[in-house]
Amino acid sequence: RVLETPRLLMRGYAADDLAPWVAMWQEPAYYRYLSPEPLPTEEVWKALLRSAGHWVLMSYGFWAIEEKATGQFLGAIGFADLKRNIDPPIIDTPEIGWVLAPAVHGRGYATEAVTAAQAWGDAQFGPVRTVCIIHPENHPSLRLAEKFGYREYARTTYKGDPIVMLERPGQK
C-alpha cells in the first residue's frame, strides 16, 4: 500500500503524523475549504484513525504524503467511501480527495500525488467511475481535478457549504 513518486512517499498513517497534521489544521490556508474553523487535536486524531481504519474495512483509503528528501509530513491523498449525507448521493463510488500543507503549494506535489493515486485507483478498482467534491472557490483543486479528467456533474451544499461535485468516468 506504499506508493512512491520521484519526490514523495505515500504511506499509511503513523501516530507521529498527529503533531504535524494538527499544526496544519491551525493554518487558515489549510482548512479554509474544509472547515469553518481549525480542528482540535481530538478531531484530527479521529480523522487519522478513520483513515487507517478505512484500509481495514474497504481495502483502500488515504495515504499520508511525506517528502522523501526531508521526511516532512505534507498532507493526505486517497480514496474513501464516507457515506456522506449529500444530495445527489455518492453511493458505493470511490471518492478521491487531497489536501497539502500550504507551504508546499505550487511545487507540483499535488499533481505528482494525484498521478500516483489515480494510477493505483485505476488498477485497484478497474474501469469504474470515481468522484470528488470541491468548494467552488478552491480554484487550484478544481483545476487539478479537471487535469485528471474530472468534470462537474452537480452543485449542491454539504454541511452548509457550497460544493461542486465532479466525476471521472471509468478508465479502460
Side-chain angles (χ1 to χ4, degrees):
R1 292 193 268 200
V2 173
L3 301 180
E4 290 193 50
T5 72
R7 300 179 297 165
L8 304 174
L9 179 65
M10 295 163 52
R11 57 166 175 75
Y13 285 92
D16 290 347
D17 295 329
L18 179 62
W21 207 10
V22 168
M24 279 184 219
W25 270 102
Q26 305 317 300
E27 297 181 53
Y30 180 85
Y31 69 79
R32 71 178 163 200
Y33 300 121
L34 303 172
S35 173
E37 57 191 27
L39 286 188
T41 300
E42 177 182 357
E43 294 305 314
V44 177
W45 180 245
K46 286 178 186 177
L48 191 149
L49 294 173
R50 180 178 60 236
S51 294
H54 214 96
W55 284 98
V56 174
L57 295 180
M58 304 299 296
S59 298
Y60 63 91
F62 272 70
W63 293 272
I65 302 172
E66 180 180 306
E67 186 178 45
K68 282 183 179 179
T70 64
Q72 179 183 0
F73 177 84
L74 302 180
I77 184 167
F79 295 93
D81 179 355
L82 298 173
K83 310 289 188 215
R84 293 183 190 272
N85 183 15
I86 194 168
D87 189 34
I90 301 171
I91 300 172
D92 299 326
T93 302
E95 178 185 335
I96 192 170
W98 54 83
V99 62
L100 279 86
V104 299
H105 288 182
R107 295 187 191 174
Y109 286 152
T111 296
E112 203 169 308
V114 173
T115 299
Q118 205 67 74
W120 182 92
D122 289 346
Q124 174 75 15
F125 305 130
V128 302
R129 171 182 176 255
T130 57
V131 299
C132 61
I133 66 170
I134 301 174
H135 191 285
E137 293 176 13
N138 189 345
H139 301 292
S141 276
L142 288 168
R143 283 191 302 273
L144 185 63
E146 185 175 300
K147 179 177 184 176
F148 284 91
Y150 286 88
R151 300 292 177 256
E152 181 178 334
Y153 71 93
R155 288 196 178 225
T156 190
T157 58
Y158 180 65
K159 294 187 176 181
D161 288 322
I163 288 295
V164 179
M165 301 181 79
L166 302 107
E167 64 185 348
R168 178 178 177 255
Q171 304 299 301
K172 295 178 183 172

